[in-house]
Structures are given as structure tokens and as C-alpha cells.
Amino acid sequence: MSVTVRVPAKVNVQLAVGPARPDGFHPLANVFLAVGLYDEVTVTPADELRLTCEGPDAGQVPLDRTNLAARAAEALAGRYGRTPDVHIHIAKDIPVAGGMAGGSADGAGALVACDALWGTGASRDELLDICAELGSDVPFSLVGGAALGIGRGEQLTPLEVGGTFHWVFAMAGRGLSTPAVFREFDRLGEGTDIPEPVASQELLAALAKGDPDALAAAVSNDLQPAALSLFPELAGTLATGRAAGALAALVSGSGPTTAFLVRDPESAAAVAQALLASGTCRTVRTASGPAPGATIAGR
């Protein structure tokens, strides 16, 4: 028997970052939107815990117990007094190290798959609790749709979305370390008064209305200056997308993927073509959101 779970990527339509806390974490107001790029995580009984991976950039995915999918299996097994003896296979389509929560998606997918395989019957709240222990973005990968995350991003409030939003994502030629981006954020903000993060009411209203123009006027990412400081070439990618007709252009999360909000699928195709032709990115994907969270796709 095996269980396969499908899990979406995310884009941060707002990422407001507060000053570093004593524990090193930053308070966030993080507005997540799940988009239709998916990883599929399949778990099968095995003699011991092991991982395999296929798909674009699969060679960059760790196959040891640092992988969030392995940690998810261990966490659920530990709560129910069993050993995490499963083979976890990840079919990747979410960009690796791209700021789109691919690793978090795999953690949420493995958790849901193991729960179904083992028949543990964990409640939604218990699964979300384990997700929060695994990482800040993992709970949203479980929930999907759109949500406001506060705290470290793990305390979620679902958000209403009144329509479909179309996106183009440009993948960079190299990765960016999330901790390094936060360190650069701290360095750039040294000596300044960084306010506590709050969600933009204009942005939440734009999501609820399904209005791409209003959303374009409200998207923001407080980590973007830090990402651009560490990876200046991203500025050229952003400029190319805007010139090709994107309504808005921003770094996705901690980067280095750049995200372009467009009006419709035809605009997405035009922006994607311009980005590819420019040579300012490695590859391009189009997707729309909101998309559902972790969902069992097969048994």
C-alpha cells in the first residue's frame, strides 16, 4: 500500500518583517497565496526510513534526515509510538531553493501521507501543530488557499479570495539562503526603527475582491532589498517582467525566484516569453492561485 499527497507552492503577496527578537526570529505579517505548481509525495511501508527524489533540480534535494519530509515522518511516528519505517518518494515540480516553500510542501505532504498510511487519525489541529514545529511555512503548505500568517508565519488565519490570480515565476541561476537574507535585512536596517509588521488592509481587500490591479498596487516584500543586495542581478529580471507588461513584480519570499502578477493567461504567456528571451533567468513557469493545500491524490 502507498499514499500519494499533492502539495502546492506558494507566493508571498505581502511579507512584512519586524525587528529581530532575542531568539533571532523576526515577527512577520505574511500573506500567503498557494499557486498551482505541485510536488507529489508518496509514502510506502519499508524496512527503514529512506528518501528518493525525481524532477527538476532533484539533485539539490537532501535525501537524509535534514529533509523536512523525513522530519515530518519522524515527528508523527514519535507522537504515536511507532517507528517511521517508510520510503518517501518526492516528485518535484516546485522550484528548489526558490522561495516558494518547496521543502515545506514536502514536509506537509509527508505528514498527511504518513497519517493516512498509518491510520493514526491525527486531528487537523495536531497536524498543524507538528507543521509549526517543522518550520514557519509548513502549516500553510498543509492549508493552502490564502492565509495571513503571523508570529513566525505559522499562526494562520484563512483569507477570502474573490477570484483567480495569474502569475509568472522566473527561476534564477543560483539559490539564496533564507538565513543569509534575514541577516542582510538586519544589516540594512541597523540603526533604524523597524516597525512591527501588520497586514495591509488594501491588499486583503484586493484579494477578497479578486481585483488584480488593486492587488498589484498593494503587494510588498520587506525582504526584497536584502535579496537584491545579495543578488543584484535580480533587479534586471524584475525590470524585464515589468517592461513586458506585468502588473507587479517582486521577489518571492526570501528569493531568488521573482514573481510577476499578470492580468490573464495570455499576458502570462507574453511575460514568460519576454523573460526567457532576456537571458535574465534560468527558467520560467506560469501558475494561478489560489490552489488547494495538501490533498491525498492516490492510494
Side-chain angles (χ1 to χ4, degrees), residues 7-105:
V7 205
K10 61 84 179 167
V11 62
N12 304 94
V13 291
Q14 182 187 4
L15 180 51
V17 182
R21 305 186 313 206
D23 64 3
F25 285 104
H26 296 72
L28 304 175
N30 200 347
V31 181
F32 297 101
L33 180 70
V35 295
L37 297 175
Y38 301 93
D39 282 1
E40 288 194 344
V41 182
T42 300
V43 299
T44 307
D47 294 333
E48 61 181 2
L49 177 61
R50 66 186 183 95
L51 278 80
T52 53
C53 186
E54 65 176 323
D57 300 322
Q60 299 178 36
V61 176
L63 299 180
D64 57 19
R65 297 197 178 199
T66 63
N67 189 299
L68 284 174
R71 290 175 54 198
E74 290 178 324
L76 184 66
R79 289 201 179 202
Y80 283 87
R82 61 179 301 144
T83 54
D85 295 335
V86 287
H87 170 207
I88 302 172
H89 181 71
I90 302 169
K92 285 213 72 69
D93 197 37
I94 301 173
V96 177
M100 299 185 74
S104 297

Side-chain angles (χ1 to χ4, degrees), residues 76-179:
L76 184 66
R79 289 201 179 202
Y80 283 87
R82 61 179 301 144
T83 54
D85 295 335
V86 287
H87 170 207
I88 302 172
H89 181 71
I90 302 169
K92 285 213 72 69
D93 197 37
I94 301 173
V96 177
M100 299 185 74
S104 297
D106 297 341
L111 185 64
V112 171
C114 286
D115 176 59
L117 181 72
W118 295 334
T120 49
S123 68
R124 184 78 160 177
D125 286 346
E126 185 173 5
L127 292 177
L128 285 170
D129 185 50
I130 296 172
C131 285
E133 293 173 3
L134 294 170
S136 300
D137 287 347
V138 185
F140 180 70
S141 296
L142 182 75
V143 171
L148 168 63
I150 60 171
R152 291 183 289 109
E154 83 285 7
Q155 301 171 36
L156 297 177
T157 301
L159 297 174
E160 181 184 350
V161 183
T164 299
F165 293 97
H166 300 278
W167 295 86
V168 180
F169 299 98
M171 292 24 147
R174 59 181 174 90
L176 262 180
S177 158
T178 297

Side-chain angles (χ1 to χ4, degrees), residues 140-230:
F140 180 70
S141 296
L142 182 75
V143 171
L148 168 63
I150 60 171
R152 291 183 289 109
E154 83 285 7
Q155 301 171 36
L156 297 177
T157 301
L159 297 174
E160 181 184 350
V161 183
T164 299
F165 293 97
H166 300 278
W167 295 86
V168 180
F169 299 98
M171 292 24 147
R174 59 181 174 90
L176 262 180
S177 158
T178 297
V181 174
F182 273 98
R183 287 194 296 271
E184 185 68 359
F185 171 85
D186 291 337
R187 188 189 72 80
L188 293 175
E190 197 169 356
T192 64
D193 185 19
I194 298 174
E196 289 298 314
V198 294
S200 161
Q201 293 305 306
E202 292 81 7
L203 183 138
L204 300 184
L207 281 175
K209 291 177 183 175
D211 184 339
D213 293 292
L215 185 63
V219 295
S220 65
N221 180 1
D222 287 353
L223 290 181
Q224 182 162 311
L228 290 173
S229 175
L230 296 174

